[in-house]
Amino acid sequence: MISAPRSGQAGFTLIEVLVALTILSIAMTALIAVIATGLDRQRQARDETTAMSLARSLLEQAERSQTPQADDSGAFSNGFSWRRQSVPYGSATDQQAWPVTAERVTITISWANRTRSLSTLRLLPKPVPQP
């Protein structure tokens, strides 16, 4: 024999459904916050990588040049801007004693209120004195 279901024992009550939906919404809120944080960190890492790549590229250009670099600045089309600073390296006595001219070249990349800098030391032939 098949017995008929008793009334009051079949299905979920309204309170049970509301509690389940509340737990689900709290879990979804936490999950969305974790995903948003992960995406933000990924964007920051991408921007840092882009900035360092641009700085390395500008330093390589400066290193290939055989003349002292003048201070300069500019902007890239992707929202990053750059500044190149060149200063003599060593004291005046050191510079006279060395067989080469040394300068420190610093590239600073700026974007979205952040900056990163890379520096290198360039050695150049001393200029030949003109008679």
Side-chain angles (χ1 to χ4, degrees):
M1 268 186 142
I2 300 177
S3 63
R6 296 183 200 147
S7 73
Q9 293 185 359
F12 296 104
T13 66
L14 181 59
I15 296 294
E16 291 171 331
V17 171
L18 289 176
V19 168
L21 287 175
T22 303
I23 292 171
L24 180 64
S25 66
I26 291 170
M28 291 299 291
T29 302
L31 181 63
I32 289 172
V34 168
I35 290 171
T37 301
L39 290 174
D40 189 47
R41 287 185 180 172
Q42 180 185 12
R43 181 191 52 77
Q44 289 175 358
R46 183 197 65 216
D47 289 349
E48 293 278 340
T49 302
T50 300
M52 290 296 100
S53 177
L54 293 171
R56 274 190 235 110
S57 175
L58 290 169
L59 277 179
E60 288 175 12
Q61 287 177 6
E63 288 174 350
R64 278 184 255 152
S65 173
Q66 294 300 314
T67 60
Q69 297 289 299
D71 291 354
D72 198 8
S73 63
F76 295 101
S77 61
N78 59 359
F80 290 79
S81 60
W82 59 273
R83 185 178 72 227
R84 180 181 59 223
Q85 294 176 305
S86 300
V87 294
Y89 183 79
S91 67
T93 305
D94 290 338
Q95 290 176 8
Q96 286 181 338
W98 292 337
V100 293
T101 301
E103 72 176 2
R104 176 180 297 277
V105 178
T106 302
I107 303 292
T108 303
I109 304 290
S110 302
W111 77 101
N113 298 324
R114 300 187 73 169
T115 60
R116 291 293 178 261
S117 297
L118 289 179
S119 296
T120 190
L121 186 62
R122 288 183 24 149
L123 301 178
L124 300 167
K126 279 195 170 183
V128 177
Q130 298 295 326

